[in-house]
Amino acid sequence: MNEALPDVPEVRVVGLPQLTSGFDLVDRLDLPMHLKVHGPLEPLGGEQLARLSERINLRGRGGAGFPFHKKLRSVAETAIKRGVRPVVVVNGSEDEPACRKDTVLINRAPHLILDGALLCAEAMGARTLVVGVTRESTQRSMEAALAERGLNNGRRSALRARVQRNPVRMVTGAAASLIRSIDGGPAIPPGRKTSASKNGVGGAPTLLSNAETFAQLAIAARIGPERYGNTGLYDEPGTVMLTVSGAVARPMVIEVPTGVPLRYVLQLAGAPPVPQGVLTGGYHGKWIDAATVNEAVVSRNSLDAVGGSLGAGAILPISQNTCPLGESLMVAKWLAEESANQCGPCYLGLPAAARGLEDILNGGGPAALEAVKQVAKNVKRRGACSHPDGSAMFLESTVKAFTDDLAAHVMGNGCGRPVEGVLPLFEGGQTPTGIPGGGGEENGPSRQEIFVDWTLCRGHGLCADLLPEVFQLGADGFPTVAQAQVPRRAEDKALRAVRRCPALALRIEEGAASKAPSRNLPVLSQGRGRRALGR
């Protein structure tokens, strides 16, 4: 159940290989073998690269699908306008349990990715290149590739290049998280939405894109837009890397030309002939049913048209013998655990949505269904990164796709099918430590308790705005709790709530679990007055 995919699963190709050229010869293409397989690569100017990207309609392959030529031009124009050198960042942070395409490329064809990144760096005059990874295998492979090219992070290097290793977390893959970690901060979103093209690493304009995107650019630069366009669809030429898992006999990463029928890809992986549903795009993606699978081809536009999503390139069928809501619930719980714990829509909304889906499965009735729909609606477009939006899309798609099963659980005694755990999650449900939500110090036992003095509280509601982890307001506008433990990650916010309470109705006391006096919040009692609280 929920078996973890290996870093490098079986790799297949439909038609002539491009990104996977040479995979039949060696396990990893070092620099000499890479040059034998792909040949040399001539440098191109910045506008040449932009025109090439535009002609082949190259879009980011990490999920968002942003046009690469627009990103390239934006970075170059900002760098020229400000008179600074841009930075190039390869995002190889593939942290979704169902995705391995970028991990395969980094492990087996790292120089193809570097080709594309170095083309951009040279064309724009960049002097810094960073490759973000999260796995030990990808770190080893990319560091070896940099060494094979004689690239390093030395101050005297014409191009300073290095690998940035971050924890394996869903939010780590966000562009803002990777940039923040490169600048020395934690690998979590900064709490505000910024444009890397305008203000990225060290404040410089930064060209950040997915590993496969740079590899596709390298292929197109070698063979030209005409030959590149001979493969795949007219409006989406080239190939696509997919990770196929779930209820399949052979989980695999597969390179296919755009336009290949989705049912053929599923057949190659040994999926059920008539799947109950197929999750497209990964755990921030959408479900489609068996009938829709027969209409879809592998392309961004086709999948969008039938209600699916290409997303991060993950394709996950489930069989008729498993409960789709139960399978989705396991993913929903994992998505909630992957929160960066920074904003209410993510930290509070996603667990609430998972609990609501669980209530549906347990016979919660129409009220539970409406609660899930409302939570998903409230979460969207309110977070500091795309994680709550993607998770809400997954939940809404689940509710929409499996109406018969939903009715059986909401109105009856359930669908009667077991939960087999066919959608891959990380082995043992373990979550790496080191950032909020990952089991590090900030998620240790609570060290403080916060109290409401009802003789003073006037129902201003400021505590709920500042400390939603603890306080919610009842129908009367007053906090619903009088005493609560303060999560470690919220200690600073708790102190802020105490200081800003207009009625001085809050106080914090040291909890029994406290073992670190130097970091404790001050113990504030009602009798200390305004001077002790204000700054």
Side-chain angles (χ1 to χ4, degrees):
M1 292 181 60
N2 297 118
E3 292 185 3
L5 294 174
D7 280 10
V8 183
E10 177 185 354
V11 179
R12 298 283 297 274
V13 61
V14 174
L16 296 176
Q18 290 188 356
L19 301 178
T20 58
S21 292
F23 281 22
D24 57 332
L25 303 175
V26 291
D27 289 337
R28 178 185 179 276
L29 278 73
D30 60 12
L31 185 57
M33 180 58 72
H34 167 74
L35 292 174
K36 287 180 181 178
V37 170
H38 293 285
L41 182 60
E42 297 297 325
L44 296 174
E47 184 55 32
Q48 287 178 297
L49 280 178
R51 287 198 299 266
L52 172 65
S53 304
E54 189 171 9
R55 287 189 62 181
I56 66 173
N57 194 20
L58 180 61
R59 293 176 175 267
R61 301 298 176 92
F66 191 80
F68 188 78
H69 69 93
K70 291 184 178 180
K71 188 181 296 186
L72 189 63
R73 286 192 172 106
S74 176
V75 172
E77 289 169 2
T78 303
I80 293 172
K81 183 178 180 180
R82 291 171 52 189
V84 298
R85 291 191 181 275
V87 176
V88 176
V89 176
V90 178
N91 193 348
S93 307
E94 193 171 43
D95 304 314
E96 193 170 323
C99 297
R100 290 294 183 277
K101 67 180 183 67
D102 293 318
T103 303
V104 164
L105 285 175
I106 295 173
N107 273 285
R108 301 198 60 180
H111 289 285
L112 199 59
I113 299 165
L114 287 178
D115 278 347
L118 292 171
L119 271 177
C120 296
E122 184 172 354
M124 296 190 300
R127 291 294 180 263
T128 303
L129 168 64
V130 183
V131 182
V133 300
T134 53
R135 303 173 187 275
E136 183 180 354
S137 64
T138 50
Q139 179 182 9
R140 287 199 309 265
S141 180
M142 190 54 74
E143 285 180 343
L146 292 177
E148 289 163 6
R149 289 178 179 253
L151 296 173
N152 58 63
N153 196 35
R155 292 186 177 182
R156 296 184 179 181
S157 300
L159 175 69
R160 298 184 64 176
R162 67 181 179 90
V163 175
Q164 173 72 29
R165 172 85 179 273
N166 289 326
V168 180
R169 292 294 306 280
M170 187 74 162
V171 294
T172 301
S177 299
L178 179 53
I179 289 173
R180 191 177 184 187
S181 70
I182 293 170
D183 282 338
I188 56 177
R192 63 187 183 280
K193 294 183 178 179
T194 60
S195 170
S197 300
K198 306 294 184 184
N199 187 12
V201 175
T206 298
L207 179 67
L208 186 150
S209 201
N210 163 265
E212 184 192 341
T213 313
F214 284 109
Q216 292 283 2
L217 180 65
I219 292 292
R222 277 187 167 88
I223 66 177
E226 290 79 13
R227 281 184 58 193
Y228 189 93
N230 290 337
T231 300
L233 299 171
Y234 173 77
D235 58 341
E236 292 184 56
T239 63
V240 175
M241 295 286 283
L242 302 173
T243 311
V244 188
S245 62
V248 298
R250 299 178 302 279
M252 64 177 61
V253 168
I254 182 169
E255 182 184 13
V256 300
T258 55
V260 168
L262 181 59
R263 65 178 181 275
Y264 180 65
V265 174
L266 294 171
Q267 180 183 348
L268 288 177
V274 184
Q276 182 176 190
V278 178
L279 180 58
T280 59
Y283 295 159
H284 279 176
K286 298 179 181 180
W287 290 98
I288 58 176
D289 60 24
T292 305
V293 169
N294 292 328
E295 304 173 14
V297 301
V298 177
S299 82
R300 189 176 303 278
N301 291 338
S302 173
L303 288 171
D304 286 346
V306 298
S309 170
L310 180 61
I315 306 294
L316 301 105
I318 59 172
S319 72
Q320 300 282 351
N321 301 321
T322 186
C323 173
L325 299 182
E327 299 291 343
S328 297
L329 174 60
M330 299 182 76
V331 175
K333 288 182 176 180
W334 178 80
L335 289 170
E337 292 170 356
E338 288 298 291
S339 167
N341 297 325
Q342 291 194 123
C343 56
C346 193
Y347 172 64
L348 300 175
L350 298 188
R355 289 193 298 269
L357 188 56
E358 190 168 25
D359 287 344
I360 292 174
L361 282 156
N362 292 333
L369 175 58
E370 288 305 314
V372 170
K373 291 180 178 179
Q374 189 61 43
V375 169
K377 180 181 178 181
N378 292 341
V379 161
K380 289 190 297 184
R381 293 180 294 278
R382 293 182 59 203
C385 70
S386 61
H387 182 53
D389 290 348
S391 301
M393 183 168 66
F394 168 78
L395 287 162
E396 289 179 331
S397 175
T398 299
V399 171
K400 182 179 179 180
F402 302 108
T403 53
D404 292 344
D405 295 86
L406 199 64
H409 284 281
V410 171
M411 307 302 296
N413 297 320
C415 66
R417 286 174 288 188
V419 178
E420 298 177 340
V422 296
L423 301 179
L425 297 173
F426 287 122
E427 190 172 2
Q430 295 178 351
T431 305
T433 61
I435 63 174
E441 181 186 356
E442 294 191 11
N443 289 296
S446 174
R447 300 180 298 185
Q448 286 85 26
E449 290 181 308
I450 192 166
F451 295 82
V452 179
D453 187 334
W454 294 117
T455 65
L456 297 172
C457 182
R458 296 293 180 265
H460 294 94
L462 189 62
C463 58
D465 291 336
L466 294 174
L467 194 60
E469 294 89 344
V470 173
F471 291 116
Q472 292 182 341
L473 301 182
D476 58 0
F478 285 81
T480 56
V481 297
Q483 172 185 349
Q485 291 184 326
V486 178
R488 284 199 181 190
R489 59 182 166 271
E491 288 177 350
D492 290 340
K493 290 195 286 184
L495 180 57
R496 194 175 304 123
V498 169
R499 288 172 172 161
R500 294 186 181 180
C501 176
L504 305 180
L506 301 178
R507 75 178 190 275
I508 293 175
E509 293 184 359
E510 182 178 317
S514 176
K515 301 295 183 183
S518 62
R519 289 193 59 198
N520 283 347
L521 296 179
V523 178
L524 302 176
S525 65
Q526 179 56 38
R528 294 180 65 178
R530 293 180 182 268
R531 185 171 58 183
L533 297 174
R535 280 191 179 180

